[in-house]
Amino acid sequence: MIRSYLFVPGDDLKKLDRSQSSPADALIYDLEDSVGPDRKEAARTIVRDHIRARGAGGHHRTVRVNSFATGLTAGDLAVVMQAAPDSILLPKCEGQAELDRLGHMLDVLEAREGIAAGRTRILALVTETAPAVLVAASTRLTHPRLAALTWGAEDLSADIGAVAKTGPDGVLDDTFRYARVVCLLSASAAGVTPLDTVYADFRDLKGFEEECVTAKRMGFLSKMAIHPAQVEPINRIFSPSPAELDWARKVVDAFARAGNGGVTQMDGKMLDKPHLKLAQRLLGTA
Ligand code: COA
Ligand code: MG
């Protein structure tokens, strides 16, 4: 189970080097927004060579390519697929046609590189523009390669012209809360992992932990980090706690004892099918 994804700018040799010892479950090598226009080409080969040099094992390795609107996506893939990353993160995804298009490109590149067909997973950022949010809210995105859906607030605020994402109290404005919920429900509908977005104020670890706790309560299973210091809190908060595992085991036991698969009780509280489902999900047996 992947809990933490650490973003690493794809042209930054120092951070690439440092990322190797991160306790993050996954690394996202970024070719998109953290790389300047004149470094786009260099970043492709730097990321490819970095992944190759590390070989298999260790972190799950994903590459965030540039969006289809930039015209750079095919060129990014043609280079980085030479190193067989575990997945591709598609930014500014505006619907099913883009997932299908990426899937077809990966079909061809896997064949070219001798990679097992279908091995490369897709992750998608589905709330970065206004049309993207509306599409994700109204269609059921799906793809055999799809592993996770995530959302972004920075690009969405730029797209709609919001001058800030939160009020003075730090609570997300409705637009962004909506985008977050759309991501969560879309991921659930697609049967893939919901992945919560980044927290830009990387010196504010208290605010970051609060955001992790909220995300976990909502049903997110993982979160993206932009700074190494954010990884440990993600791993801690998104791992099931001993108390949660204990509760889940007791619920499963209670149903086994009741033997009827329907309703039962534990410590004076009603338990029915949704509780069993949640417990099995926590135990990874759903
Ligand atoms: N991955 C790997 N190493 C990182 C890192 C990252 N994302 N962010 C910081 N580091 C390293 C720094 O290089 C520094 O290393 P050092 O101790 O060897 O000098 C150390 O961690 C401490 O970093 P710090 O000085 O606190 O931050 P910074 O000013 O160097 O960097 C950011 C701040 C925000 C620029 C940086 O964290 C970053 O580039 N994050 C990723 C941005 C990104 O990918 N954005 C796109 C997705 S939204
Ligand atoms: Mg962006």
Side-chain angles (χ1 to χ4, degrees):
M1 184 67 219
I2 301 177
R3 301 157 298 178
S4 52
Y5 289 82
L6 175 63
F7 262 110
V8 190
D11 66 334
D12 190 326
L13 293 169
K14 186 169 162 229
K15 287 177 190 151
L16 286 167
D17 189 46
R18 264 201 135 236
S19 71
Q20 303 200 35
S21 55
S22 171
D25 297 319
L27 301 175
I28 305 176
Y29 300 121
D30 190 25
L31 302 181
E32 201 216 9
D33 287 347
S34 69
V35 176
D38 52 335
R39 295 281 293 164
K40 290 286 185 197
E41 274 201 32
R44 289 171 177 166
T45 51
I46 292 171
V47 165
R48 179 199 61 195
D49 295 346
H50 178 82
I51 296 177
R52 267 191 184 153
R54 295 206 47 199
H59 300 105
H60 175 101
R61 270 116 15 120
T62 186
V63 178
R64 180 164 76 171
V65 293
N66 290 282
S67 68
F68 280 117
T70 64
L72 296 171
T73 320
D76 289 344
L77 290 169
V79 177
V80 299
M81 284 301 289
Q82 293 169 11
D86 299 302
S87 57
I88 297 294
L89 172 57
L90 180 68
K92 302 182 180 74
C93 174
E94 291 196 346
Q96 185 63 42
E98 292 197 8
L99 293 180
D100 295 340
R101 190 172 166 197
L102 176 58
H104 289 139
M105 289 177 165
L106 293 175
D107 290 344
V108 173
L109 291 168
E110 284 174 343
R112 188 191 73 183
E113 300 302 328
I115 301 166
R119 177 186 179 274
T120 318
R121 316 295 289 169
I122 294 177
L123 320 178
L125 271 151
V126 292
T127 70
E128 294 191 296
T129 66
V133 179
L134 298 177
V135 167
S138 58
T139 55
R140 193 162 178 169
L141 297 170
T142 166
H143 196 281
R145 294 180 184 270
L146 197 61
L149 292 180
T150 185
W151 70 287
E154 314 293 337
D155 285 277
L156 182 59
S157 47
D159 191 50
I160 63 180
V163 294
K165 291 172 295 177
T166 71
D169 55 2
V171 176
L172 286 174
D173 281 335
D174 287 346
T175 312
F176 305 101
R177 291 160 66 105
Y178 179 68
R180 195 184 202 186
V181 170
V182 165
C183 169
L184 179 70
L185 297 179
S186 302
S188 182
V192 303
T193 301
L195 168 56
D196 198 34
T197 195
V198 299
Y199 188 82
D201 190 357
F202 62 89
R203 302 272 181 239
D204 175 17
L205 282 175
K206 185 169 168 289
F208 180 70
E209 291 208 10
E210 283 167 10
E211 192 168 276
C212 289
V213 169
T214 304
K216 179 180 170 172
R217 186 178 67 232
M218 290 175 73
F220 284 97
L221 295 174
S222 48
K223 190 165 173 71
M224 301 189 290
I226 52 159
H227 189 278
Q230 295 178 327
V231 171
E232 182 280 325
I234 299 178
N235 287 350
R236 173 165 37 84
I237 293 166
F238 285 89
S239 299
S241 69
E244 284 167 337
L245 290 175
D246 190 48
W247 174 85
R249 274 187 219 105
K250 278 164 71 183
V251 169
V252 170
D253 284 353
F255 274 95
R257 269 199 312 280
N260 60 10
V263 70
T264 183
Q265 66 93 22
M266 187 172 83
D267 306 331
K269 288 196 190 111
M270 182 202 75
L271 294 177
D272 64 1
K273 204 62 189 281
H275 300 101
L276 179 60
K277 203 171 156 188
L278 190 62
Q280 288 170 330
R281 190 188 275 251
L282 272 167
L283 295 172
T285 57

